[in-house]
Amino acid sequence: MLMLEGWMPIIVLFILSACLIVVMARYTRNHIVLSLSSLLGLVCLGTVLYSIFMVGGWDGMAIGFYAIAAFLGLAIGTAISPFVKKKAEVGE
């Protein structure tokens, strides 16, 4: 049994964001994946800065952990995406 009850949502968010980028890379073009992951990365960075300067305290630290987990998932998913085999076209 996994004894990380408090960390489980952060781990799930990390894995979910990485898998989402990899699956999206399989079905869309490469520049769309890179554009979306860079946009979401900037949103995660903004969320971390917001959690530090505007929220503060333990609540801000929790929001920051979620944003960092999503950012790491996006980064790893984007790094894996060039190795994902594209779906073959019907005409080919």
Side-chain angles (χ1 to χ4, degrees), residues 17-34 36-37 76-90 92:
S17 62
C19 290
L20 179 71
I21 292 294
V22 169
V23 167
M24 190 176 69
R26 181 171 170 86
Y27 296 108
T28 60
R29 295 179 185 208
N30 196 23
H31 71 277
I32 295 173
V33 173
L34 294 176
L36 186 65
S37 67
I76 290 175
T78 305
I80 293 173
S81 66
F83 303 110
V84 176
K85 196 173 196 179
K86 300 287 183 192
K87 185 177 178 183
E89 294 292 327
V90 177
E92 293 183 56

Side-chain angles (χ1 to χ4, degrees), residues 61-73:
M61 194 155 76
I63 293 170
F65 275 138
Y66 283 119
I68 290 170
F71 180 76
L72 289 176

